[in-house]
Amino acid sequence: MRLNEYYDVALDLVKQAGAIIREKINRPKDVSLKSCDVDLVTESDKEVEKLFMGGISSRYPDHRFIGEETTASGAKAQLTDAPTWVIDPIDGTMNFVHGLPHTCISVALLVDKVTEMGFVYNPVIEQLFTARRGQGAFLNGKPIKVSGERELGKTLLMAEMGTSRNAEKMKAVMENLQILVPKVHGIRTLGSAALNMCMVAMGGADANFEFGVHVWDFAAGDLIVREAGGVVIDPADGPLDLMSGRVLCASSMEVAKEIAKLLVQYYPERD
Ligand code: IPD
Ligand code: CA
C-alpha cells in the first residue's frame, strides 16, 4: 500500500482546493438549495469536489469516492474495502456563503474500512489539521493534543443546530441544549462539523456531538481527534459507526460517557 505517496498527493490537492475556497469566500456566489432551505451548495463546493476527485482518479483509477456533492446528485454512498476517499469539499457551506471564515475542506482515506489519513483545512485562517493512523495529529505541522479534561462541569462543548428542518431532529437539538447548557462550562457553535472536532483535537474545546451528520462531515475529524489522544464514540455510548449519522467526541472517556448518558438520542437516516 503506497500510503505515503497517497498522503503527498492528497495534501497537494487539499491545498489547491483551499486556494479556491480562500479566493471565492468574499465574492458573490451562485447558491442552490439541497434537502431544505438551510442546506446550501455553491458552485465552489462542486468545483472543489471535482478538482479533488479528478486529481485522485487520474493517478489511481481503481480508488473509490464518497463525496458530499456527488452523493447529493444521486451517487450512492457505498463504503467497501477498496481505498475510498471521503470528501466534504466545503464543510461549513453556510459560513462560506456568508463570508464567515470558519469553513474548510475535509478529506479522509479509508482502506478496508479503516481510516488511514485525514485532512481538515481552513484556508481562510490557515488552519491545516492532518493525521495518519498511528502517527499523531498535527496543526500546521505541529503536534496537537486534546485537553484531557475529565469533568463535565469544566467542559467547553461544541454543538450544532444542523442543516435540517426535520421537526423531530429540531426537538432533539433544543432538548439537548436545555439539558446541557446548565451542566457545562459553555457551548460553542462553529458551523462546521469537521472544524468542531478539530477544536477538540487541538484542546481548544473539550467535546462535540452531533446527530444528522454525514460520513464526509466527520471521517477525517474522527481520526484527527483519536490521533490527538481523544475518544470518538456513538452518542448512545457505543462504538462509532461512520455511516450512522451520529458522533460524539471528547477529550476523555469520562466526559464522553457523561454526555452520552444525558443526551436525548436521535437516529437519522443512515448514509
Ligand atoms: C454541515 C456543517 C454543519 C453541521 C451539518 C453539516 P455542510 O455541513 O458541518 O455545521 O451542523 O450537520 O451537514 O453542509 O456545510 O457541508
Ligand atoms: Ca459538511
Side-chain angles (χ1 to χ4, degrees), residues 128-199:
L128 172 63
F129 296 91
T130 54
R132 292 272 304 270
R133 183 166 68 95
Q135 297 182 25
F138 300 83
L139 167 56
N140 297 335
K142 294 199 180 105
I144 50 172
K145 279 218 163 308
V146 295
S147 68
E149 184 55 61
R150 284 160 196 263
E151 280 181 53
L152 185 65
K154 291 188 183 154
T155 290
L156 189 60
L157 175 66
M158 310 302 295
E160 290 289 328
M161 316 305 140
T163 51
S164 152
R165 297 287 202 204
N166 176 295
E168 197 196 334
K169 158 84 192 298
M170 293 309 297
K171 191 166 170 272
V173 166
M174 298 307 182
E175 285 176 354
N176 281 325
L177 286 177
Q178 240 166 353
I179 292 167
L180 287 162
V181 168
K183 293 209 156 56
V184 296
H185 244 182
I187 297 200
R188 301 288 181 266
T189 294
L190 219 50
S192 154
L195 287 173
N196 284 336
M197 295 182 82
C198 288
M199 295 304 113

Side-chain angles (χ1 to χ4, degrees), residues 68 88 90-91 216-217:
E68 175 165 17
D88 190 337
I90 301 185
D91 188 49
W216 47 80
D217 295 315

Side-chain angles (χ1 to χ4, degrees), residues 22 101-103 121-128 140 195 199:
R22 191 190 307 114
H102 297 291
T103 188
Y121 181 34
N122 177 345
V124 189
I125 57 171
E126 279 304 339
Q127 288 179 320
L128 172 63
N140 297 335
L195 287 173
M199 295 304 113

